[in-house]
Amino acid sequence: MLRIDRRSLLMTGTLGLGAYAVPGFAQTPNVADATGFTHGIASGEPASDSMLLWTRYVPADGKPVHVAVEMADTPDFARIVGGGVAITGPWRDWTTKITVPGLRPGHVYFYRFVAPDGTRSPVGRTKTLPEANQTRSFRAAIFSCANMPFGYFNAYAHAAARDDIDLAIHLGDYLYEYKLGGYPPLKDQVRTTEPANELIHLADYRLRYASYRSDPDLLALHARVPMIAQCDDHETANDSWEGGAENHQADEGDWTLRKIAGLQAYREWMPISDEPWKTYEIGGLATLFRTETRDLARTKQPDIAPLFRTADPGAALKAFRDGPWTDPAATMMGTQQQDWLFHALRRSVKAGQKWQIVGFGTIMGNTVMPADALGWLDPGAGERAKNYVLAGIQAAKVGLPFNYDSWGGYPAERARFLKTSQAAGANLVVISGDSHNAWAYDLGQDGKPAGVEFAGQSVTSNGYESAVKTDPKVVATALVAANRELKWCDTSRRGYMAMTITPERVTNDWLFVDSVKTRSPRAVVGHTATVARGRDVMA
């Protein structure tokens, strides 16, 4: 486990005061003391002819340094086929990102970074995206919600050991910002992470990334396949939006400064470009759309809690449903990104791409609370859990969802997006995360099918099972019965999704690990869903 000492003041920039709460601060060795290539390698932003490559290199003298990268067709680097060089320093936490052009489509490459003194990084493997008609099948592993103290990253380990994955997609919550003992509470904590304090300042976020990136299973995944990654809320703070977050309090300073710090560390430590949203062409099979629905333009989530403190909660819920809930100005994406996405969807269809696959941080499928949900709770679940379920049951009686931090809080924008997809003739597949549980939806708009949604379970973060002791099969049956769009769910297990794209169909496997409490690479397919091209509903 990485720890920080006084030298990190020089290596990572000025630390927040909370860092002094880290156990062993100023006594234990930090990765900065070791110098050299400290956190392995990674690749991302794949195209058919280029790849972004990432590493972190700390020189012994603490001065800015040139770092080069080499690419080859074989792991022995007998023939160098591409490369580049960049300058790094403390202003970017010694991270380096180099995009290498001139590559062959659909081709496996090996890469390594080289320091000025000749030392080399570990060797990474990556693969460019195919060109049209180059392949009839493409498989992506899809992840979200990896809270390190909750357990081991067995989902990453399982995916990294496979030889049939072309790409990793991370839909957000790559890390969590809480202090140790915050989430999860200490009694449920399996392992630790640094710093011990909540992430507020730039150095806090940087150190948390350094801690996560010391995990061997995450390192193995990054070394094996390229990753397309996007933010959700915990890269800054829980339930974030443009002007604040649920987990940001007045005594924690200015929200904008905290948000900038979190996003800067994210850009430094992740193999991503600086574009907030982007398209990726997967041969002639699909266009993949990376979106941003958290910190740049999202308006504040609705809050129905005050409605239950009125004289007539039922009437207040109806008034909310017929007014503020459907506000057309409420947005997750903002008008600029909406316009980009709507035009990009149309271009993809006109270009003949078979599928349009859109990644969102949160679930789009309509989901209400079943009337019998209160009976699922563990008697010791606590008043907060009981009140949440009771509010959801009451909201469902007037047709309202129970989660407003997802697309359930932005129905007007959801309708605009689905109508545009329908008008474009898209074969829409939405992939999403955030909920910690596994879901499959047939999305509809104006009484007509609009596409499907595959929503993934978390890597480690707990789901319904943390407060519910009812048989998960009973829970799933009730949820499906209460929700027209929902076709299947699992509310008790962790893991990842593996999505296979062919010209005729997209198939999604939900893979579940045995446990996150011990380190094990084992996982099994718990459910499979398929959508045929032109159907917009699951088979």
Side-chain angles (χ1 to χ4, degrees):
M1 179 58 59
L2 301 180
R3 294 192 182 275
I4 189 163
D5 69 358
R6 282 189 66 83
R7 189 170 182 201
S8 294
L9 290 168
L10 300 176
M11 291 304 191
T12 62
T14 303
L15 288 171
L17 293 177
Y20 288 88
V22 176
F25 183 81
Q27 284 87 37
T28 54
N30 178 267
V31 67
D33 283 326
T35 69
F37 293 101
T38 64
H39 288 82
I41 38 75
S43 63
E45 300 296 344
S48 62
D49 60 356
S50 66
M51 186 70 67
L52 183 151
L53 305 174
W54 179 98
T55 196
R56 183 174 187 265
Y57 178 80
V58 182
D61 61 8
K63 296 179 180 179
V65 63
H66 287 67
V67 178
V69 71
E70 300 173 338
M71 296 193 77
D73 292 312
T74 57
D76 61 2
F77 289 82
R79 186 174 70 93
I80 305 300
V81 299
V85 64
I87 301 171
T88 189
W91 61 86
R92 56 178 304 116
D93 204 14
W94 304 101
T95 61
T96 296
K97 291 190 285 190
I98 299 173
T99 297
V100 179
L103 304 179
R104 294 163 55 191
H107 191 68
V108 171
Y109 287 95
F110 299 88
Y111 63 97
R112 65 189 180 193
F113 288 85
V114 183
D117 63 2
T119 58
R120 297 186 176 94
S121 71
V123 173
R125 175 190 180 276
T126 192
K127 187 178 182 180
T128 52
L129 297 180
E131 282 189 337
N133 303 317
Q134 190 175 15
T135 183
R136 291 186 58 81
S137 181
F138 187 91
R139 181 169 290 133
I142 304 169
F143 307 92
S144 65
C145 305
N147 190 324
M148 196 171 188
F150 264 115
Y152 293 91
F153 294 157
N154 293 330
Y156 294 152
H158 186 270
R162 297 177 63 161
D163 60 6
D164 62 345
I165 298 296
D166 299 298
L167 174 70
I169 299 172
H170 208 292
L171 295 172
D173 298 344
Y174 183 92
L175 53 61
Y176 282 69
E177 83 283 7
Y178 295 104
K179 68 179 181 180
L180 290 182
Y183 178 68
L186 288 175
K187 67 181 180 65
D188 297 323
Q189 182 177 301
V190 175
R191 55 180 179 158
T192 189
T193 187
E194 304 289 0
N197 56 280
E198 185 175 319
L199 311 185
I200 303 292
H201 307 285
L202 176 58
D204 299 332
Y205 286 98
R206 285 172 166 176
L207 182 54
R208 188 64 58 87
Y209 277 103
S211 187
Y212 270 60
R213 292 289 281 274
S214 70
D215 181 87
D217 298 318
L218 181 51
L219 286 173
L221 179 67
H222 277 302
R224 179 67 179 173
V225 291
M227 178 180 284
I228 293 173
Q230 61 189 59
C231 280
D232 194 38
D233 52 340
H234 292 290
E235 285 83 357
T236 51
N238 183 56
D239 289 359
S240 59
W241 57 284
E242 182 183 13
E246 179 276 335
N247 193 33
H248 181 76
Q249 316 309 322
D251 62 357
E252 292 174 326
D254 183 82
W255 164 248
T256 298
L257 295 179
R258 182 178 183 180
K259 179 173 70 172
I260 290 171
L263 294 178
Q264 178 176 331
Y266 183 76
R267 286 193 297 270
E268 290 169 349
W269 278 84
M270 297 296 290
I272 57 170
S273 65
D274 290 335
E275 298 136 302
W277 46 80
K278 192 173 181 178
T279 59
Y280 307 84
E281 304 300 334
I282 303 174
L285 294 175
T287 303
L288 174 66
F289 302 82
R290 170 168 63 82
T291 65
E292 200 291 323
T293 56
R294 271 295 173 189
D295 295 311
L296 299 186
R298 182 195 276 242
T299 52
K300 190 174 184 179
Q301 306 90 330
D303 180 11
I304 65 171
L307 305 182
F308 294 93
R309 296 191 288 269
T310 62
D312 188 346
L317 284 167
K318 290 179 181 178
F320 167 73
R321 177 198 63 193
D322 299 336
W325 185 54
T326 57
D327 184 354
T331 180
M332 301 240 303
M333 295 187 287
T335 57
Q336 182 182 355
Q337 187 178 182
Q338 285 179 47
D339 184 66
W340 163 80
L341 182 56
F342 297 167
H343 282 87
L345 277 169
R346 295 188 185 102
R347 285 194 297 270
S348 175
V349 174
K350 289 181 179 179
Q353 290 287 46
K354 306 298 189 295
W355 299 95
Q356 288 68 46
I357 301 172
V358 183
F360 289 126
T362 57
I363 288 176
M364 177 167 281
N366 287 324
T367 318
V368 302
M369 189 74 75
D372 58 350
L374 192 62
W376 303 343
L377 290 179
D378 184 329
E383 288 302 311
R384 182 178 179 182
K386 292 177 183 177
N387 289 338
Y388 180 79
V389 173
L390 282 171
I393 292 171
Q394 288 295 108
K397 291 179 180 179
V398 298
L400 288 169
F402 61 84
N403 183 9
Y404 299 90
D405 187 53
S406 68
W407 284 91
Y410 305 84
E413 187 172 64
R414 175 193 137 119
R416 289 194 296 269
F417 168 72
L418 292 178
K419 287 179 179 179
T420 298
S421 179
Q422 288 173 325
N427 284 277
L428 177 68
V429 176
V430 170
I431 53 175
S432 59
D434 183 68
S435 77
H436 305 176
N437 298 121
W439 316 80
Y441 296 89
D442 283 339
L443 301 173
Q445 181 61 40
D446 297 331
K448 297 178 290 187
V452 303
E453 179 176 16
F454 302 138
Q457 70 276 34
S458 66
V459 173
T460 61
S461 301
N462 64 355
Y464 273 49
E465 79 282 357
S466 62
V468 171
K469 298 306 178 184
T470 302
D471 184 341
K473 293 180 181 179
V474 173
V475 174
T477 298
L479 282 163
V480 171
N483 291 282
R484 182 176 181 181
E485 291 189 341
L486 181 62
K487 302 305 173 184
W488 169 85
C489 67
D490 182 287
T491 61
S492 65
R493 294 180 286 178
R494 315 277 69 81
Y496 70 104
M497 300 190 297
M499 180 177 64
T500 304
I501 309 165
T502 70
E504 298 82 17
R505 60 185 49 84
V506 173
T507 301
N508 193 69
D509 294 332
W510 284 263
L511 291 105
F512 297 106
V513 298
D514 290 347
S515 173
V516 297
K517 304 305 181 185
T518 59
R519 193 163 177 243
S520 168
R522 175 178 158 78
V524 296
V525 176
H527 185 72
T528 300
T530 300
V531 57
R533 188 167 183 266
R535 292 294 305 276
D536 290 329
V537 294
M538 282 173 278

